[in-house]
Amino acid sequence: MTDKVIAAIDGSRSSESVCDHAAWASKRLAARLALLHVVRTPHADKVADYSGNLAVDNRKKLLNEMVEIEEQRNRLLREQGKAILADALERVTGQGIEEAERLLRHGRITEMLNDLQSEARLVVLGKQGKDGDMVKRHVGSHLESLISTLKTPLLIAPLEYVQPKNILIAYDGSATAEKVVDKVAKSPLLKGLPAHLLMVAEDNGGNQTKMDQARNKLDAQGFDVTTSIRGGDVSNVICRYADEHDIHLMAMGAFGHSVMRRFFVGSTTTRMIMQAQIPLLILR
């Protein structure tokens, strides 16, 4: 049953913002909130075997010590995970959430979210993961695989939370973009927020017709809509528009069939997500 907002909490600098965005979304959707922390499986990383050249007794002793260290490490990681979830629960309680489920799982975040997505109405992630706190070039290393594999809408939270007061829909006239407009129009998540509809393309009759049709869908659901068609480099135009209009949240499709696709999907996805200073709602 898809009635949960799942917040993926990893203890990184993004965690508080993820909690705040998840609490906001949970209230807007009237959906239950689940806080998820995944303890990385002890066998996720390949460990070299250095015992091959040792005598049998020494080898057994070494292996026993390695097993003992691994058990201690797992116990500490579980305790750390419980503490991270307790902090997250306190955070969302302060945001007005009366009850939240705590999920402590072992494995990989991508596998866990794939397993849980059938229960999720929305998944909230930080764009800067735990590794990103230490190594900037590894920031968001899981995002591309999650964007590619999850069918559930994703809300990617920046480091700071600001309650969304308006939205920007990156629209390219594709079938995916039409679905984004339909979902935004029908969902209570963004209901009542002023909406900007932006197409980066040639301003001609065909594109204007598509924009008018998209605008009509939003108008019919009570959105106050501003439309714009601009030419130029997609990333520069969208980021500049968001800055000019003090946009608080951007909605977009995971896949398109135009320049939007090259902007949002592929090797530059994580880099572009990291450059944005606002939350990104990725819909399919």
Side-chain angles (χ1 to χ4, degrees), residues 13 17 21 28 56 81 85 116 120 175 177 197 204 223 230 243 245 255 263 272 276:
R13 290 190 297 155
S17 176
H21 282 89
R28 296 281 299 191
V56 174
L85 288 175
L116 291 168
L197 196 60
N204 56 36
F223 283 86
R230 295 187 177 186
D243 288 340
H245 294 82
F255 299 98
F263 172 51
M272 297 308 298

Side-chain angles (χ1 to χ4, degrees), residues 29-176:
L29 293 169
R32 293 184 297 158
L33 177 58
L35 306 169
L36 169 67
H37 177 72
V38 178
V39 177
R40 191 175 177 84
T41 178
H43 303 297
D45 299 316
K46 187 177 181 180
V47 178
D49 180 5
Y50 298 111
S51 63
N53 295 326
L54 299 176
V56 174
D57 289 345
N58 288 337
R59 190 181 308 169
K60 287 182 177 177
K61 181 181 178 182
L62 177 59
L63 290 175
N64 288 336
E65 289 178 353
M66 292 174 66
V67 169
E68 183 178 346
I69 291 172
E70 193 63 42
E71 289 175 346
Q72 291 178 354
R73 174 178 175 273
N74 292 339
R75 180 178 57 78
L76 291 173
L77 287 174
R78 285 195 297 273
E79 293 304 315
Q80 182 189 45
K82 291 177 182 177
I84 289 172
L85 288 175
D87 289 344
L89 181 61
E90 182 178 354
R91 183 81 182 188
V92 299
T93 300
Q95 294 289 336
I97 299 297
E98 296 181 355
E99 185 177 355
E101 184 179 4
R102 283 177 287 181
L103 304 173
L104 183 63
R105 296 288 188 271
H106 294 257
R108 296 176 185 273
I109 183 65
T110 49
E111 295 169 354
M112 292 302 107
L113 285 175
N114 271 288
D115 290 344
L116 291 168
Q117 67 172 321
S118 62
E119 305 173 19
R121 192 167 177 182
L122 177 71
V123 172
V124 184
L125 297 161
K127 68 179 181 181
Q128 186 165 12
K130 193 172 183 179
D131 293 340
D133 286 350
M134 297 177 289
V135 186
K136 192 171 182 179
R137 64 189 175 88
H138 288 164
V139 165
S141 57
H142 299 301
L143 283 179
E144 282 191 321
S145 60
L146 287 170
I147 292 170
S148 299
T149 58
L150 289 182
K151 295 182 174 64
T152 304
L154 288 174
L155 181 61
I156 300 174
L159 288 176
E160 302 294 335
Y161 170 72
V162 175
Q163 181 174 325
K165 300 294 186 184
N166 59 22
I167 61 170
L168 168 64
I169 301 174
Y171 177 79
D172 64 2
S174 68
T176 299

Side-chain angles (χ1 to χ4, degrees), residues 195-206:
H196 293 252
L197 196 60
L198 174 63
M199 174 183 278
V200 183
E202 182 182 353
D203 190 357
N204 56 36

